[in-house]
Amino acid sequence: MEEKILYLPLKKKWYEMIESGEKPEEYREDKPYWRRRLYKGVDWSTGEFKDFTHVVFTYGYTRRRMKWQIKKMLMKFGNPAWGAPTDKMVITIVLGERVE
């Protein structure tokens, strides 16, 4: 199966939380930009996103990066301690194993 990689720059706090294993998912607001970018290949019966297989997080716009498998992508209320808003659902990227 061909890898389809999503590239996302992160702020220091979120990058380090994911790198340490403290934060097992990443969030994006449900806005038109992210809908266009992430909603391709949605399985609406389960709410899961099927388009991307891996995500590469970068430390801001530096060369420091890490690659993770994407377990699934769905809409849900996220954890506010991990950066999700408290009052609305977000696109949630649930991480699998770290690849690099």
Side-chain angles (χ1 to χ4, degrees):
M1 184 165 110
E2 181 184 341
E3 285 186 3
K4 290 187 129 186
I5 300 173
L6 173 64
Y7 292 90
L8 296 174
L10 298 176
K11 292 183 178 182
K12 178 182 180 179
K13 178 180 180 177
W14 310 127
Y15 185 93
E16 289 178 347
M17 286 177 76
I18 289 173
E19 187 175 46
S20 72
E22 181 181 349
K23 183 179 177 195
E25 53 194 33
E26 175 59 15
Y27 309 116
R28 290 294 180 258
E29 291 187 62
D30 185 25
K31 292 195 171 191
Y33 173 80
W34 290 110
R35 285 181 186 181
R36 283 191 307 272
R37 191 159 178 214
L38 298 177
Y39 276 29
K40 299 173 189 170
V42 176
D43 179 350
W44 292 107
S45 64
T46 62
E48 293 184 6
F49 297 83
K50 301 288 187 184
D51 201 36
F52 294 101
T53 61
H54 294 81
V55 59
V56 171
F57 295 113
T58 60
Y59 183 86
Y61 290 95
T62 67
R63 291 182 186 219
R64 185 174 167 191
R65 58 189 58 216
M66 57 184 160
K67 183 178 179 183
W68 293 80
Q69 289 178 337
I70 295 176
K71 196 180 285 186
K72 60 185 170 180
M73 294 171 69
L74 45 85
M75 291 293 297
K76 71 173 197 168
F77 286 97
N79 184 338
W82 296 339
T86 57
D87 59 340
K88 56 186 168 186
M89 295 179 70
V90 290
I91 300 169
T92 303
I93 303 166
V94 181
L95 305 176
E97 294 188 23
R98 186 170 177 177
V99 179
E100 294 176 6

